[in-house]
Amino acid sequence: PTGVAVLDMSDPRNPVRTETLVTPAMQTPHESLNISVRRGILAAVMGNPTQYPGGIDLYDLSGDCRHPVPLAAAFPAAPFGHESGMAPDGLTFYPTSLGTGHTTAVDISNPRLPRTLWTGEYNTHGMTVSDDGRRGYLAARQGLIILDLSEIQDRRPNPEGREISRLSWSNITVPQVPLPVTIGGKPYVVEVDEYATGPD
């Protein structure tokens, strides 16, 4: 069947399908499935490898994650979809589109009525957000882009995601996702490309 399978993994040797999510974005979420652990919300944007209408689906996982409860389906919050990011507080979902150059901030504080806060012209593949929600790390076609998301996080009127810096490298292929990590007490961002190139 089509859609997103929900598996009960309490016995990892015998996973059991408990649901199949068949709302529009769950039919074609591409790489966008994302969860807010803090709020118990599952989110996805309707996407594919190039571009697809960016309708948002949201589900409540807080009661029983084996049986997600639909909250919003195909809500037109983003122009296009491919992958996504999620603020750690679970209040902002970030649909991204590598093929069309769109990164969107969607307020999901009321998950039954998402609303678009901001759309920026960044052709983002994967995206992560700092613990305080104020920094966005974008894996874009050009490399790693760091944005100041403070105005979005603070819900300022007409917020902007302001570019702080960008970094490229000589053997860049398709940047996939940047991962903030702490090593020896020092913060780093590890970026992973989707493909690798040889020494030539």
Side-chain angles (χ1 to χ4, degrees):
T2 61
V4 171
V6 181
L7 300 180
D8 181 345
M9 300 294 292
S10 53
D11 178 359
R13 294 177 183 222
N14 184 33
V16 177
R17 184 192 293 250
T18 56
E19 297 282 354
T20 302
L21 310 182
V22 295
T23 49
M26 294 299 172
Q27 293 287 343
T28 178
H30 197 56
E31 299 169 330
S32 72
L33 285 176
N34 219 316
I35 291 176
S36 166
V37 175
R38 186 176 301 181
R39 294 189 66 209
I41 291 179
L42 169 67
V45 59
M46 197 183 306
N48 69 11
T50 54
Q51 60 186 35
Y52 222 54
I56 305 293
D57 289 359
L58 298 170
Y59 283 78
D60 182 2
L61 304 176
S62 63
D64 183 348
C65 62
R66 298 167 300 177
H67 301 283
V69 177
L71 298 169
F75 195 93
F80 296 101
H82 182 97
E83 199 165 322
S84 72
M86 178 77 75
D89 62 10
L91 299 176
T92 312
F93 179 58
Y94 289 91
T96 61
S97 180
L98 180 65
T100 64
H102 294 87
T103 299
T104 305
V106 179
D107 183 342
I108 59 170
S109 55
N110 177 356
R112 295 187 181 279
L113 193 63
R115 65 186 180 98
T116 301
L117 297 170
W118 166 81
T119 297
E121 294 185 7
Y122 296 98
N123 54 357
T124 308
H125 203 173
M127 174 185 178
T128 52
V129 182
S130 64
D131 289 343
D132 62 5
R134 297 182 178 278
R135 292 290 179 270
Y137 305 100
L138 284 56
R141 281 200 188 278
Q142 304 87 350
L144 173 66
I145 299 174
I146 300 177
L147 297 183
D148 182 348
L149 303 177
S150 298
E151 292 187 8
I152 296 166
Q153 181 70 10
D154 292 340
R155 297 300 191 262
R156 294 254 195 101
N158 303 310
E160 291 293 329
R162 302 188 188 283
E163 187 171 324
I164 297 172
S165 65
R166 60 174 62 206
L167 174 70
S168 188
W169 43 96
S170 61
N171 61 343
I172 192 170
T173 57
V174 180
Q176 177 78 54
V177 64
L179 305 168
V181 299
T182 301
I183 301 172
K186 187 173 181 180
Y188 294 88
V189 175
V190 177
E191 197 284 322
V192 180
D193 272 20
E194 188 167 2
Y195 300 103
T197 59
D200 56 346

